[in-house]
Each structure stands twice: as C-alpha cells, then as structure tokens.
Amino acid sequence: MLRSIFHIVFLLLLLGFETVFSQVTETTVPLIIDRTRSTIRTRFTPPQGYFWVNEMPGSFGEYLLNFPLHPPNFPVRDYNAVPIKKQYNHIAILRIDVGDKDLQQCADAWMRLYAEYLWSQKRFEEIGFEFTSGQYFSWSDYKKGIRTKEVKTRVSFFNTGKSDDSYERFREYLNVIFRYAGTISLDHESVPVLRNSQIQTGDFLIKPGSPGHSVIVVGVARNKLGKRLYLLAESFMPAQDIHILRNPVNSKLSPWYELDVNSPKTVTAKYIFEPTSVKRFHSLAEKEKERP
C-alpha cells in the first residue's frame, strides 16, 4: 500500500516537473490552427511556449492581427477571380479584394493594407505614397480632382476640377499608386529594422527591383526567453489574393517563421530574400519615435 502511494506521488511530482519544464523549453509542438475562426489572431495559436505580442490599440499592427480571413480551403485567386495553379504555398487568405486588374502585387499588397487601415481610422490626410520616379501622390490630391498622365517616360499631373471623396474614387486612387509605385519606391520610403527584437507586425521583408518582392509581417509571437516567431503574408504576380504563407523550410514550425535581420538570406514559400532586409514604412517609424 505504501509503495503504491509512493509511486503515485512520484508520478504527480514528475508530471508537475514536466509541466513547469515545458513552459520554458523552446518547443513548437503541437501547433494549433482553429479553422473555424475568422481572424488571424483567433485562427492561429502561437506554438507551445509562445504567446502573441500585444499590439498597441488602434495601431496598424492591431489592424493586421485582427484582419478577417476567408473560410478554410478558399483558393488563392488572381485578378480575374480564377484560382492560381499552385495552391500549396498558403495557409489562409485575407478577406480583401485584389481588384480586377493586374496591379495589386507584392509591394502593392502592403500599400493596400496600410491605406485601408488609415481609411478605417479616418486619417485621410496621411494617405499618400511615392512613385518609383520619386513623385509623391496623395489621396488628398486625388479626391480634389488631380489626375495623372504619362508624358514620354514621366508621369505628370493635371486638375480635372472634379472633387469626389467616395470609396470608389479611393480605390481608383490606389490603382494609380499600384501602377506607378512598387518595391523600389516602398524601399525608398522605409527605414531598416536593425535588431530582431524590433521586428513588429506591419514591417516587411523587401528586395527592391524590377521585379523585386516583399512579404508582410502580419503577426508576432514570443516566448519567455524573448525568442520571436512571425506570420508572413504576400501577394504575387499575377496580382492575386493576399495570403498567409506556409514555411517551406520547417514543416513542423509552419506557418510560423524565424527571422534574423543579419541573415544572408531568408527563404519563404515563393521567394528567397538575399540578403534579409526587414524595413518599416517611414511614417510608422516616426510614430514609434513619438511614443513615450
């Protein structure tokens, strides 16, 4: 009888020790993806030992983390609403249209999400981006009737005299941005993230070029040791639904990624960034400096 009690106590102590130990051990098993949930934060549970990094209320990071998702098994579609051929690189799709033109591609996806965030916040005066040429074009100008035209190899502006601040015109404005901006201009309008501990939701990996590429950090988790993991999303060519990527390098960790700003390369589902360049849009970086 005493021996049985001793064995029970020993097992309880052992299980208790394992529970405590598991809280500090870096482990990614099991991964939990609740396909019945409809937002990034609720559908994806960080790996064991990790927890969501809290986002500032009203921030771009909070906007992304709570972004709605299409139902499970929804296909990635192109701008013609036709499913693309390769449907194995994504784990979820953001519930936002891609438009009906081949415009909203990689860097454009980030600009679309940021512009929609500012629109939702009614911060209309902050909506504006540079073209690859370096020319700045704001939503404020467009809604007042300013339009673009191409003269030889340069874009010029003219005034139609027709003001319209509707959402329909806003989408037209974004198509202009997508046409004349891209990875080169987005890279130019951004600042480097220099330390891994500084990477946050809303930052992006980017390789400027024609073509270049970029992917968006749409969620960050960390453990008690300070190690961080990330969810990444992208659009691609041709223009297609913005989707959260699987991790092709680590199937046990997928869809979560490890990022290192000093790494010579980062392999994502459809692109290899060489070198790893993580950046933050200049206006978001400035707001970071303003925080107490």
Side-chain angles (χ1 to χ4, degrees):
M1 182 68 176
L2 288 174
R3 180 176 297 178
S4 298
I5 293 173
F6 175 79
H7 284 163
I8 293 172
V9 172
F10 176 78
L11 287 173
L12 288 174
L13 288 172
L14 180 60
L15 289 172
F17 174 77
E18 288 179 344
T19 300
V20 172
F21 185 74
S22 67
Q23 292 175 352
V24 296
T25 300
E26 295 183 19
T27 176
T28 58
V29 180
L31 292 177
I32 301 174
I33 301 174
D34 189 343
R35 298 182 183 277
T36 66
R37 302 292 182 167
S38 60
T39 69
I40 293 175
R41 186 182 185 106
T42 56
R43 185 171 296 183
F44 297 97
T45 298
Q48 184 177 346
Y50 288 79
F51 51 89
W52 286 113
V53 170
N54 291 327
E55 304 292 343
M56 292 285 292
S59 68
F60 184 43
E62 182 187 55
Y63 176 80
L64 291 177
L65 194 56
N66 291 288
F67 209 89
L69 300 172
H70 279 294
N73 302 320
F74 197 88
V76 175
R77 304 158 303 167
D78 66 17
Y79 61 97
N80 289 316
V82 176
I84 64 172
K85 291 182 179 180
K86 297 179 180 180
Q87 294 288 337
Y88 49 78
N89 291 311
H90 72 279
I91 191 67
I93 301 172
L94 277 63
R95 191 186 288 272
I96 187 171
D97 71 275
V98 69
D100 59 2
K101 298 177 177 59
D102 191 11
L103 292 174
Q104 188 177 293
Q105 298 178 0
C106 55
D108 311 304
W110 185 91
M111 290 184 276
R112 173 72 187 282
L113 291 171
Y114 186 55
E116 290 283 358
Y117 159 70
L118 293 175
W119 178 278
S120 72
Q121 296 271 309
K122 302 186 185 304
R123 291 159 54 184
F124 307 116
E125 301 302 315
E126 297 179 43
I127 302 173
F129 303 94
E130 287 184 6
F131 295 164
T132 301
S133 62
Q135 297 161 288
Y136 180 79
F137 194 34
S138 70
W139 161 239
S140 295
D141 286 335
Y142 194 88
K143 71 181 181 181
K144 293 175 184 176
I146 304 299
R147 297 294 184 267
T148 59
K149 63 180 179 180
E150 293 184 36
V151 178
K152 295 183 179 181
T153 59
R154 190 166 178 84
V155 177
S156 64
F157 302 95
F158 67 97
N159 195 339
T160 65
K162 298 178 181 180
S163 299
D164 187 342
D165 62 357
S166 66
Y167 183 78
E168 183 180 3
R169 296 290 85 75
F170 173 64
R171 286 293 285 111
E172 288 181 359
Y173 160 75
L174 288 177
N175 280 342
V176 175
I177 294 299
F178 300 159
R179 185 179 301 277
Y180 295 117
T183 55
I184 293 174
S185 59
L186 183 59
D187 183 71
H188 182 262
E189 286 198 275
S190 306
V191 298
V193 177
L194 301 177
R195 294 199 295 270
N196 294 332
S197 60
Q198 295 176 329
I199 302 174
Q200 62 187 32
T201 306
D203 292 341
F204 44 87
L205 282 84
I206 190 164
K207 174 67 174 180
S210 299
H213 192 51
S214 67
V215 300
I216 312 159
V217 177
V218 294
V220 182
R222 66 181 296 271
N223 66 9
K224 292 182 178 180
L225 301 178
K227 185 176 180 179
R228 296 182 175 224
L229 299 174
Y230 309 88
L231 292 176
L232 304 179
E234 70 172 14
S235 180
F236 209 73
M237 297 182 289
Q240 56 196 249
D241 290 315
I242 303 172
H243 48 278
I244 297 177
L245 295 168
R246 295 182 184 273
N247 184 337
V249 177
N250 190 336
S251 60
K252 292 183 179 180
L253 189 64
S254 182
W256 297 87
Y257 281 78
E258 298 173 297
L259 295 178
D260 182 355
V261 297
N262 298 309
S263 176
K265 70 177 180 180
T266 294
V267 179
T268 64
K270 290 185 280 185
Y271 192 85
I272 299 176
F273 292 88
E274 296 183 277
T276 301
S277 175
V278 181
K279 299 197 105 175
R280 181 171 304 153
F281 196 60
H282 66 92
S283 62
L284 291 171
E286 288 301 317
K287 289 189 179 299
E288 284 288 312
K289 294 179 182 178
E290 294 172 3
R291 290 181 186 174

